[in-house]
Amino acid sequence: MRTLPLLLVVPMLAVTACSEISDTISDGITDRANSVASNALEQGIREQLADAGIELDGDPDCSTDLSQDGTTLAGTADCAAMTVDGQDATATFDGTLSSSGCSGTVTIAVEGRTVVDSQEVPDCSVSL
């Protein structure tokens, strides 16, 4: 009689453990993808600002909200930075990132003035 409850509990624990492992793996992939995307966008933003004659003091700090579909990431990113002369710089990205490039809308503003409004981030790619 005592084996019946045990037989019901063991499969339930196995399902719960598998779900937790799957969630952990998914979170790890998402964290890695967001980190790779942030790094690629930060570099691209730095280059676009340099092309506009604006130098940053340090690296941009980007936060992303992306979903992964195979080797492509899609979604948004918001970045903040400071120029060497103390002005606030912000960047927004809405599009896709892949090994073939980063395309979508990227807008970069310094002190609220738009300095870049483009459909791609140059020299930007991600490998997942």
Side-chain angles (χ1 to χ4, degrees):
M1 215 39 154
R2 290 181 184 220
T3 58
L4 183 58
L6 185 59
L7 291 175
L8 294 174
V9 169
V10 171
M12 184 74 105
L13 289 175
V15 168
T16 301
C18 287
S19 176
E20 288 175 9
I21 291 170
S22 176
D23 289 347
T24 300
I25 290 170
S26 178
D27 289 346
I29 290 170
T30 301
D31 290 345
R32 181 179 178 281
N34 283 325
S35 176
V36 168
S38 288
N39 289 337
L41 289 170
E42 288 167 4
Q43 181 61 34
I45 288 165
R46 177 180 294 288
E47 289 178 22
Q48 284 182 305
L49 284 171
D51 290 346
I54 300 167
E55 185 179 349
L56 293 180
D57 182 20
D59 291 326
D61 181 24
C62 295
S63 62
T64 60
D65 183 14
L66 302 167
S67 60
Q68 184 175 352
D69 183 15
T71 59
T72 300
L73 299 172
T76 62
D78 292 303
C79 305
M82 186 71 64
T83 65
V84 292
D85 56 355
Q87 296 181 320
D88 289 324
T90 59
T92 58
F93 173 81
D94 185 359
T96 60
L97 301 95
S98 68
S99 60
S100 61
C102 304
S103 61
T105 303
V106 61
T107 304
I108 306 172
V110 175
E111 291 294 320
R113 180 179 52 90
T114 300
V115 294
V116 174
D117 190 5
S118 179
Q119 296 301 308
E120 67 178 321
V121 180
D123 299 323
C124 175
S125 67
V126 296
S127 294
L128 303 176

